[in-house]
Amino acid sequence: MKLLAISGSLRKGSLNTHLVQAAIQALPNGVTADLVSIADIPVYNEDLDGEDKPDAVVRLKEAVAAADALLIATPEYNYALPGGLKNTLDWLSRPAFKSVLAHKPAAIMSASKGPTGGARAQGQLKLVLAAVLAEAYPAPEFIVPQAQQSFTEDGVLTDDNVKTRLQRFVTDYIAWVEARFSR
Ligand SMILES: Cc1cc2nc3c(=O)[nH]c(=O)nc-3n(C[C@H](O)[C@H](O)[C@H](O)COP(=O)(O)O)c2cc1C
């Protein structure tokens, strides 16, 4: 099985990028994942969404189409998912209901410096995934509150509690994808 991993944060030292990288390391044997950047995705403009789409969009669409499932880590910006991630999903969402996201399994997680761990952003992200007919993994929210305490500066996950939860989360997610979507 091959996953595509996306972090909704562009910044160096992103806790969400650290989280999704730790999730990739925790994947069971035989499951691989590529982490893609959304930094080059332009602001959505329907005029550009014709035959000749921006290169970064074409590349990302191909990568999503080729993946068996998605792993998305999102920051929470002002109680919402970041504009860059929503913008990326908007590009991926066309043609409506027949896009590369339709029926694609997706696990979501969030890391935040605050006490609610990005749970509100996840609620919104689930709504967007529903709109594009993606299949959000229906597990309780995987959140890492005060995540700056769980990772070293260079992104090593040092929190044993988060490590244990993350291992269980990704293992259960893969089992769910296999049970529900294997052909
Ligand atoms: C514009 C902005 C808005 C933010 N709003 C929230 C928020 O609503 N809830 C929250 O828990 N953290 C909020 N934060 C703090 C983020 O949790 C923190 O910056 C986190 O490190 C961002 O994720 P990243 O490390 O992956 O970039 C906000 C940060 C920024 C820059």
Side-chain angles (χ1 to χ4, degrees):
M1 189 187 300
K2 194 172 165 198
L3 305 193
L4 191 76
I6 297 175
S7 168
S9 174
L10 307 187
R11 77 180 180 94
K12 289 191 205 90
S14 156
L15 294 163
N16 284 280
T17 305
H18 294 341
L19 176 60
V20 83
Q21 282 170 330
I24 290 170
Q25 282 167 18
L27 287 168
N29 284 341
V31 182
T32 59
D34 288 332
L35 176 60
V36 286
S37 169
I38 60 170
D40 295 333
I41 303 292
V43 174
Y44 186 79
N45 176 345
E46 203 173 340
D47 292 341
L48 303 180
D49 198 4
E51 290 290 296
D52 205 11
K53 298 184 207 310
D55 289 346
V57 171
V58 173
R59 281 196 301 273
L60 187 60
K61 279 195 159 198
E62 287 172 357
V64 171
D68 296 304
L70 305 178
L71 205 51
I72 305 174
T74 183
E76 180 172 291
Y77 284 175
N78 300 312
Y79 293 7
L81 76 160
L85 180 57
K86 172 63 162 57
N87 177 66
T88 298
L89 294 171
D90 291 339
W91 273 111
L92 295 173
S93 73
R94 312 309 282 180
F97 312 122
K98 293 178 192 147
S99 77
V100 290
L101 291 173
H103 314 299
K104 188 72 69 179
I108 63 181
M109 54 186 76
S110 58
S112 158
K113 289 182 181 165
T116 54
R120 291 168 293 216
Q122 288 201 30
Q124 295 202 333
L125 178 51
K126 278 190 180 160
L127 200 62
V128 176
L129 292 174
V132 301
L133 303 184
E135 305 273 353
Y137 177 44
E141 278 77 11
F142 189 92
I143 58 168
V144 185
Q146 270 119 22
Q148 72 278 20
Q149 295 169 15
S150 296
F151 293 91
T152 62
E153 289 279 303
D154 45 3
V156 179
L157 177 58
T158 51
D159 184 326
D160 286 337
N161 177 272
V162 175
K163 264 190 212 173
T164 305
R165 287 197 295 120
L166 189 60
Q167 185 74 59
R168 196 180 309 135
F169 182 78
V170 295
T171 304
D172 290 353
Y173 174 50
I174 298 305
W176 177 78
V177 173
E178 278 171 348
R180 180 136 187 214
F181 299 92
S182 57
R183 296 155 205 132

